[in-house]
Amino acid sequence: MKNVTAIITARGGSKGIPRKNIVDIHGVPLIAYTILAAHNCQYIDECYVTTEDAEIKAVSKQYGAQVINRPPELAGDHSLSQEAVVDALKQIAKRKKTPEYFALLQPTSPLRNSTHLHDCIKYFFQSGCLSAISVTEAEHHPWKMVLSDNGLLVPVIDSRTLEKPRQQLPKAFRVNGAIYIISSKLFLEKESFFVEPVYPYEMNREDSLDIDNYEDLNQLDSILQKRAQVRGE
């Protein structure tokens, strides 16, 4: 089994929740859930946080992550994760060597844990695929959606598909943003996390929660309280 380097992208700016990546969640900063998941996965050998924000750097170091200084121009509202990861891999290469494989872990997926990482990495290497992406079953089947064309509704597929029972349609997933795995060499060549064939690591909807606004935070709080009650805490 090859080891994997974790790269966590965490910029300081956030529109929906100010200072989102370090907001307190049951006494733990949001980003720490992802750092701890990486540290507790036996297949992840190093964990880096790429950020331009001084406070995120301090929190990340506190929880044991190594820090990469992200250029401010790669931390704007319209900056792409691909750009930040390319920069991170280049900075890691200057320190030691480019990791053979890496996992992009976004800090807004706090319920993705070390077991998810362990299983995703394990089955990805067993699959022989070129990349792995975590997914969850789509809440609404994409074939039952419509587009607006000059003010008129147009089916994504056709009208007959719109009327079919969901059970007759192929199972559809959405990318949940929790885990992306690929070789560094292939990523730097393609600058994409989606390189076919792609191994789909399926997660349930609850663990796929992505924190974007206060409603998501409230849902996260409810889930953590419920799980604590089950454990008898």
Side-chain angles (χ1 to χ4, degrees):
M1 181 68 67
K2 300 178 178 67
N3 277 356
V4 177
T5 292
I7 297 177
I8 302 170
T9 50
R11 67 189 188 91
S14 175
K15 300 298 183 184
I17 305 172
R19 312 297 294 154
K20 176 173 63 178
N21 286 317
I22 51 175
V23 68
D24 185 277
I25 307 294
H26 288 216
V28 179
L30 180 65
I31 192 172
Y33 285 84
T34 295
I35 295 172
L36 293 173
H39 281 323
N40 290 325
C41 175
Q42 70 180 92
Y43 297 139
I44 291 181
D45 54 358
E46 291 187 302
C47 177
Y48 292 88
V49 171
T50 170
T51 183
E52 88 297 356
D53 185 90
E55 194 171 5
I56 293 177
K57 292 175 185 178
V59 170
S60 299
K61 289 178 180 178
Q62 177 186 346
Y63 283 88
Q66 300 181 63
V67 168
I68 292 171
N69 297 314
R70 191 193 309 192
E73 62 270 19
L74 299 183
D77 291 341
H78 303 292
S79 298
L80 300 176
S81 294
Q82 293 95 313
E83 297 171 332
V85 173
V86 167
D87 174 75
L89 288 172
K90 290 179 178 178
Q91 291 201 45
I92 294 171
K94 290 179 181 178
R95 298 182 186 185
K96 41 184 65 181
K97 64 177 182 178
T98 304
E100 188 175 1
Y101 287 86
F102 74 88
L104 168 64
L105 308 177
Q106 301 188 113
T108 50
S109 298
L111 297 178
R112 171 254 295 110
N113 57 37
S114 58
T115 300
H116 294 127
L117 293 175
H118 176 281
D119 290 347
C120 184
I121 294 170
K122 176 182 176 180
Y123 295 125
F124 163 58
F125 284 125
Q126 288 180 0
S127 73
C129 290
L130 293 180
S131 62
I133 295 178
S134 59
V135 297
T136 191
E137 188 172 1
E139 291 80 356
H140 304 285
H141 201 288
W143 287 12
K144 282 187 166 290
M145 294 184 178
V146 294
L147 304 175
S148 177
D149 184 14
N150 293 322
L152 302 176
L153 292 183
V154 178
V156 169
I157 303 297
D158 55 45
S159 59
R160 289 186 177 182
T161 302
L162 283 176
E163 297 165 357
K164 279 186 177 181
R166 183 185 178 99
Q167 293 78 6
Q168 294 183 15
L169 302 178
K171 195 172 182 180
F173 301 91
R174 64 172 174 83
V175 174
N176 68 5
I179 309 171
Y180 300 82
I181 305 173
I182 191 172
S183 79
S184 299
K185 180 179 179 180
L186 189 58
F187 173 76
L188 290 171
E189 177 187 334
K190 304 290 187 180
E191 291 197 14
S192 173
F193 303 109
F194 194 103
V195 180
E196 298 178 280
V198 182
Y199 172 72
Y201 177 69
E202 186 174 357
M203 294 170 57
N204 65 45
R205 290 179 183 170
E206 187 170 273
D207 289 337
S208 295
L209 178 64
D210 181 70
I211 306 302
D212 186 52
N213 52 47
Y214 286 105
E215 183 179 348
D216 299 328
L217 275 183
N218 291 335
Q219 186 178 350
L220 174 61
D221 181 69
S222 297
I223 292 170
L224 293 177
Q225 286 191 37
K226 179 183 68 176
R227 293 183 179 184
Q229 290 172 357
V230 170
R231 294 192 300 267
E233 297 177 359

PDB file of all heavy atoms in Angstrom, residues 164-178:
ATOM      1  N   LYS A 164     -40.658   8.806 -15.820  1.00  0.00           N
ATOM      2  CA  LYS A 164     -40.315   7.464 -15.345  1.00  0.00           C
ATOM      3  C   LYS A 164     -40.212   7.443 -13.817  1.00  0.00           C
ATOM      4  O   LYS A 164     -39.751   8.416 -13.200  1.00  0.00           O
ATOM      5  CB  LYS A 164     -38.978   7.002 -15.933  1.00  0.00           C
ATOM      6  CG  LYS A 164     -39.060   6.450 -17.333  1.00  0.00           C
ATOM      7  CD  LYS A 164     -37.699   5.891 -17.741  1.00  0.00           C
ATOM      8  CE  LYS A 164     -37.762   5.252 -19.127  1.00  0.00           C
ATOM      9  NZ  LYS A 164     -36.453   4.675 -19.517  1.00  0.00           N
ATOM     10  N   PRO A 165     -40.595   6.336 -13.177  1.00  0.00           N
ATOM     11  CA  PRO A 165     -40.369   6.198 -11.735  1.00  0.00           C
ATOM     12  C   PRO A 165     -38.868   6.226 -11.454  1.00  0.00           C
ATOM     13  O   PRO A 165     -38.067   5.726 -12.250  1.00  0.00           O
ATOM     14  CB  PRO A 165     -40.954   4.822 -11.413  1.00  0.00           C
ATOM     15  CG  PRO A 165     -41.897   4.537 -12.534  1.00  0.00           C
ATOM     16  CD  PRO A 165     -41.318   5.184 -13.742  1.00  0.00           C
ATOM     17  N   ARG A 166     -38.486   6.810 -10.329  1.00  0.00           N
ATOM     18  CA  ARG A 166     -37.079   6.916  -9.984  1.00  0.00           C
ATOM     19  C   ARG A 166     -36.412   5.543  -9.942  1.00  0.00           C
ATOM     20  O   ARG A 166     -35.237   5.401 -10.278  1.00  0.00           O
ATOM     21  CB  ARG A 166     -36.948   7.612  -8.622  1.00  0.00           C
ATOM     22  CG  ARG A 166     -35.510   7.858  -8.173  1.00  0.00           C
ATOM     23  CD  ARG A 166     -35.477   8.438  -6.773  1.00  0.00           C
ATOM     24  NE  ARG A 166     -34.105   8.639  -6.319  1.00  0.00           N
ATOM     25  CZ  ARG A 166     -33.464   9.787  -6.346  1.00  0.00           C
ATOM     26  NH1 ARG A 166     -34.072  10.857  -6.824  1.00  0.00           N
ATOM     27  NH2 ARG A 166     -32.242   9.890  -5.898  1.00  0.00           N
ATOM     28  N   GLN A 167     -37.183   4.511  -9.547  1.00  0.00           N
ATOM     29  CA  GLN A 167     -36.619   3.173  -9.418  1.00  0.00           C
ATOM     30  C   GLN A 167     -36.150   2.605 -10.762  1.00  0.00           C
ATOM     31  O   GLN A 167     -35.352   1.678 -10.805  1.00  0.00           O
ATOM     32  CB  GLN A 167     -37.654   2.219  -8.800  1.00  0.00           C
ATOM     33  CG  GLN A 167     -38.012   2.530  -7.350  1.00  0.00           C
ATOM     34  CD  GLN A 167     -38.979   3.703  -7.207  1.00  0.00           C
ATOM     35  OE1 GLN A 167     -39.477   4.234  -8.210  1.00  0.00           O
ATOM     36  NE2 GLN A 167     -39.239   4.104  -5.971  1.00  0.00           N
ATOM     37  N   GLN A 168     -36.664   3.152 -11.860  1.00  0.00           N
ATOM     38  CA  GLN A 168     -36.276   2.674 -13.187  1.00  0.00           C
ATOM     39  C   GLN A 168     -35.061   3.417 -13.750  1.00  0.00           C
ATOM     40  O   GLN A 168     -34.591   3.082 -14.839  1.00  0.00           O
ATOM     41  CB  GLN A 168     -37.460   2.800 -14.152  1.00  0.00           C
ATOM     42  CG  GLN A 168     -38.634   1.891 -13.819  1.00  0.00           C
ATOM     43  CD  GLN A 168     -39.758   1.998 -14.831  1.00  0.00           C
ATOM     44  OE1 GLN A 168     -39.583   2.537 -15.929  1.00  0.00           O
ATOM     45  NE2 GLN A 168     -40.935   1.480 -14.474  1.00  0.00           N
ATOM     46  N   LEU A 169     -34.571   4.389 -13.014  1.00  0.00           N
ATOM     47  CA  LEU A 169     -33.424   5.167 -13.481  1.00  0.00           C
ATOM     48  C   LEU A 169     -32.134   4.648 -12.846  1.00  0.00           C
ATOM     49  O   LEU A 169     -32.157   4.100 -11.734  1.00  0.00           O
ATOM     50  CB  LEU A 169     -33.610   6.645 -13.123  1.00  0.00           C
ATOM     51  CG  LEU A 169     -34.858   7.327 -13.678  1.00  0.00           C
ATOM     52  CD1 LEU A 169     -34.935   8.765 -13.193  1.00  0.00           C
ATOM     53  CD2 LEU A 169     -34.886   7.275 -15.198  1.00  0.00           C
ATOM     54  N   PRO A 170     -31.007   4.784 -13.521  1.00  0.00           N
ATOM     55  CA  PRO A 170     -29.737   4.348 -12.925  1.00  0.00           C
ATOM     56  C   PRO A 170     -29.421   5.190 -11.697  1.00  0.00           C
ATOM     57  O   PRO A 170     -29.786   6.364 -11.624  1.00  0.00           O
ATOM     58  CB  PRO A 170     -28.719   4.586 -14.044  1.00  0.00           C
ATOM     59  CG  PRO A 170     -29.339   5.628 -14.910  1.00  0.00           C
ATOM     60  CD  PRO A 170     -30.819   5.380 -14.865  1.00  0.00           C
ATOM     61  N   LYS A 171     -28.765   4.591 -10.714  1.00  0.00           N
ATOM     62  CA  LYS A 171     -28.416   5.299  -9.488  1.00  0.00           C
ATOM     63  C   LYS A 171     -27.486   6.471  -9.825  1.00  0.00           C
ATOM     64  O   LYS A 171     -26.513   6.312 -10.570  1.00  0.00           O
ATOM     65  CB  LYS A 171     -27.731   4.355  -8.508  1.00  0.00           C
ATOM     66  CG  LYS A 171     -27.643   4.881  -7.087  1.00  0.00           C
ATOM     67  CD  LYS A 171     -27.125   3.800  -6.140  1.00  0.00           C
ATOM     68  CE  LYS A 171     -27.073   4.299  -4.706  1.00  0.00           C
ATOM     69  NZ  LYS A 171     -26.574   3.241  -3.779  1.00  0.00           N
ATOM     70  N   ALA A 172     -27.808   7.645  -9.308  1.00  0.00           N
ATOM     71  CA  ALA A 172     -27.018   8.846  -9.605  1.00  0.00           C
ATOM     72  C   ALA A 172     -26.394   9.395  -8.322  1.00  0.00           C
ATOM     73  O   ALA A 172     -26.995   9.341  -7.243  1.00  0.00           O
ATOM     74  CB  ALA A 172     -27.890   9.913 -10.258  1.00  0.00           C
ATOM     75  N   PHE A 173     -25.194   9.920  -8.464  1.00  0.00           N
ATOM     76  CA  PHE A 173     -24.461  10.452  -7.317  1.00  0.00           C
ATOM     77  C   PHE A 173     -24.098  11.910  -7.562  1.00  0.00           C
ATOM     78  O   PHE A 173     -24.063  12.370  -8.703  1.00  0.00           O
ATOM     79  CB  PHE A 173     -23.165   9.666  -7.085  1.00  0.00           C
ATOM     80  CG  PHE A 173     -23.371   8.201  -6.826  1.00  0.00           C
ATOM     81  CD1 PHE A 173     -23.368   7.286  -7.873  1.00  0.00           C
ATOM     82  CD2 PHE A 173     -23.566   7.735  -5.539  1.00  0.00           C
ATOM     83  CE1 PHE A 173     -23.554   5.933  -7.642  1.00  0.00           C
ATOM     84  CE2 PHE A 173     -23.749   6.386  -5.293  1.00  0.00           C
ATOM     85  CZ  PHE A 173     -23.744   5.490  -6.341  1.00  0.00           C
ATOM     86  N   ARG A 174     -23.794  12.610  -6.474  1.00  0.00           N
ATOM     87  CA  ARG A 174     -23.199  13.938  -6.587  1.00  0.00           C
ATOM     88  C   ARG A 174     -21.859  13.915  -5.846  1.00  0.00           C
ATOM     89  O   ARG A 174     -21.684  13.186  -4.860  1.00  0.00           O
ATOM     90  CB  ARG A 174     -24.108  15.016  -6.001  1.00  0.00           C
ATOM     91  CG  ARG A 174     -24.368  14.907  -4.509  1.00  0.00           C
ATOM     92  CD  ARG A 174     -25.105  16.121  -3.982  1.00  0.00           C
ATOM     93  NE  ARG A 174     -25.484  15.957  -2.583  1.00  0.00           N
ATOM     94  CZ  ARG A 174     -24.684  16.190  -1.550  1.00  0.00           C
ATOM     95  NH1 ARG A 174     -23.429  16.596  -1.756  1.00  0.00           N
ATOM     96  NH2 ARG A 174     -25.100  16.033  -0.314  1.00  0.00           N
ATOM     97  N   VAL A 175     -20.919  14.681  -6.325  1.00  0.00           N
ATOM     98  CA  VAL A 175     -19.623  14.813  -5.654  1.00  0.00           C
ATOM     99  C   VAL A 175     -19.860  15.557  -4.342  1.00  0.00           C
ATOM    100  O   VAL A 175     -20.475  16.629  -4.341  1.00  0.00           O
ATOM    101  CB  VAL A 175     -18.634  15.575  -6.552  1.00  0.00           C
ATOM    102  CG1 VAL A 175     -17.338  15.849  -5.808  1.00  0.00           C
ATOM    103  CG2 VAL A 175     -18.378  14.797  -7.841  1.00  0.00           C
ATOM    104  N   ASN A 176     -19.383  15.005  -3.228  1.00  0.00           N
ATOM    105  CA  ASN A 176     -19.651  15.659  -1.941  1.00  0.00           C
ATOM    106  C   ASN A 176     -18.507  16.538  -1.443  1.00  0.00           C
ATOM    107  O   ASN A 176     -18.631  17.206  -0.413  1.00  0.00           O
ATOM    108  CB  ASN A 176     -20.039  14.625  -0.878  1.00  0.00           C
ATOM    109  CG  ASN A 176     -18.889  13.703  -0.494  1.00  0.00           C
ATOM    110  OD1 ASN A 176     -17.757  13.858  -0.938  1.00  0.00           O
ATOM    111  ND2 ASN A 176     -19.189  12.721   0.345  1.00  0.00           N
ATOM    112  N   GLY A 177     -17.376  16.551  -2.156  1.00  0.00           N
ATOM    113  CA  GLY A 177     -16.280  17.460  -1.813  1.00  0.00           C
ATOM    114  C   GLY A 177     -15.405  17.026  -0.656  1.00  0.00           C
ATOM    115  O   GLY A 177     -14.535  17.779  -0.228  1.00  0.00           O
ATOM    116  N   ALA A 178     -15.600  15.804  -0.142  1.00  0.00           N
ATOM    117  CA  ALA A 178     -14.871  15.390   1.057  1.00  0.00           C
ATOM    118  C   ALA A 178     -13.485  14.832   0.776  1.00  0.00           C
ATOM    119  O   ALA A 178     -12.541  15.097   1.522  1.00  0.00           O
ATOM    120  CB  ALA A 178     -15.692  14.357   1.834  1.00  0.00           C
TER     121      ALA A 178
END
